[in-house]
Amino acid sequence: MPFEPVILFFLLGALAGLIRSDLRIPAVLYESLSIFLLLAIGLKGGVELARYPVGELLLAAAVVVAAGALIPLIAFPVLARLGKLPRADAASIAAHYGSVSVVTFAVASTFLLGRGESAEGYMTVFLVLLEFPALMIGIWLARRGAGSADWGKVLHEVFAGKSIVLLLGGLVIGWVAGSEGLKPLDKLFFDLFKGMLAIFLLEMGLVAASRIGDLRRAGVFLAGFAIAMPLVGATLGIVTGLLLGLSVGGTTLLATLYASASYIAAPAAMRIAVPEANPGLSIGAALGVTFPFNLLFGIPAYYWLATTLHGVFA
């Protein structure tokens, strides 16, 4: 199966980073692209959300959040006991893996679109909801028996961070305006989405290549964890998707969300709440291993498994 063109852009960036090319994406462009992608995902999700009665989604949302909360609770003892990492580092990494990656979600959505596979529009709602519960759990795990965290600062960092503001804001705008109201913006936010994602992934490839040194210092265990944990999360996502009666596309996206690891919202929250944790470990694992693993191998595998199991249980 050929790679999606956007993934090839990621590989180009990674190669440029590995050979120490002078290729650089200007910081202002990177920031602009991230704002565009977050808004576009939120707007698209809001347009689709308008097609569903919100009350019908409450139970599904509760199940998705409850299942997602299991991921940091599974990851923490593995990191602390098997990996013998300090409590702060184990809790911080667990929080990163319990939270989600918006960019991985965007790539999975593009992957499905290329195969003509539709998904429930309200998956973006799950994306927003899954951004922060794991962060709260991670902070609790780090601070249990060791004093309290400054929850006010942490909550402000999470809820006022650009990821939540733009995703939730775009979701509300899309929901209120509907598809007809957003038609004048279609060419900007929807038609250009894949091209903007490609340039963003070029930068992600450069950043991922720069994190390899962190993983070398962390050792083999963390690299293995960064591959095994997404498989555990994806399995949980597929089972949850089947129980909720999601489509093949929806099940694939939920598996991708559970398999992804945050490298935007989580580092910011952990920096404030658990400053003693080493950010190189969590970001190195999430961005240096899990992100490329999901792009190159994970998403196609989750789609194949979702398709196969839907064929069995449908």
Side-chain angles (χ1 to χ4, degrees):
M1 181 183 296
F3 287 136
E4 287 289 323
V6 293
I7 297 178
L8 295 176
F9 276 80
F10 173 82
L11 292 175
L12 175 61
L15 176 62
L18 291 174
I19 65 174
R20 299 181 182 179
S21 167
D22 62 354
L23 174 64
R24 296 291 182 272
I25 302 296
V28 66
L29 177 58
Y30 169 79
E31 186 70 15
S32 299
L33 287 171
S34 66
I35 291 172
F36 172 87
L37 292 174
L38 290 164
L39 260 181
I41 292 170
L43 288 170
K44 186 174 182 180
V47 168
E48 294 297 326
L49 180 62
R51 308 179 197 273
Y52 299 89
V54 176
E56 292 182 6
L57 302 181
L58 294 179
L59 178 59
V63 171
V64 166
V65 170
L70 295 176
I71 295 174
L73 296 175
I74 293 171
F76 178 75
V78 172
L79 292 161
R81 295 173 188 172
L82 294 182
K84 301 188 185 306
L85 292 174
R87 171 178 286 273
D89 288 329
S92 177
I93 296 170
H96 281 69
Y97 278 82
S99 190
V100 294
S101 164
V102 176
V103 180
T104 309
F105 178 86
V107 174
S109 299
T110 302
F111 175 91
L112 292 173
L113 186 64
R115 281 149 186 78
E117 194 77 61
S118 61
E120 290 79 2
Y122 53 76
M123 295 305 299
T124 305
V125 178
F126 297 160
L127 167 66
V128 174
L129 293 176
L130 289 170
E131 272 275 18
F132 46 85
L135 303 181
M136 303 299 104
I137 293 173
I139 295 167
W140 171 73
L141 289 169
R143 291 288 169 238
R144 189 175 54 172
S148 60
D150 188 342
W151 288 101
K153 284 186 177 180
V154 173
L155 290 173
H156 180 269
E157 185 72 27
V158 173
F159 288 100
K162 72 175 182 181
S163 295
I164 293 296
V165 170
L166 291 171
L167 279 172
L168 189 57
L171 192 72
V172 172
I173 292 171
W175 179 51
V176 172
S179 58
E180 288 300 316
L182 285 180
K183 268 193 175 178
L185 302 178
D186 277 359
K187 292 189 181 300
L188 172 62
F189 284 105
F190 301 151
D191 292 356
L192 296 180
F193 181 84
K194 198 167 183 177
M196 297 293 191
L197 178 62
I199 300 173
F200 189 85
L201 286 175
L202 181 66
E203 168 67 6
M204 287 293 94
L206 290 167
V207 175
S210 71
R211 291 294 175 180
I212 292 178
D214 293 328
L215 286 172
R216 286 176 180 165
R217 290 188 288 272
V220 176
F221 170 81
L222 190 56
F225 171 87
I227 293 175
M229 196 63 212
L231 298 177
V232 173
T235 302
L236 178 63
I238 289 173
V239 171
T240 304
L242 289 172
L243 290 175
L244 291 174
L246 297 180
S247 65
V248 170
T251 302
T252 302
L253 287 180
L254 188 59
T256 300
L257 284 173
Y258 283 179
S260 66
S262 172
Y263 52 84
I264 297 176
M270 292 300 110
R271 184 184 67 245
I272 292 174
V274 193
E276 65 271 28
N278 180 0
L281 297 179
S282 51
I283 300 176
L287 193 52
V289 177
T290 298
F291 182 69
F293 171 78
N294 277 328
L295 262 59
L296 300 176
F297 308 107
I299 294 171
Y302 310 150
Y303 173 68
W304 173 83
L305 186 56
T307 303
T308 302
L309 292 180
H310 267 266
V312 173
F313 294 105

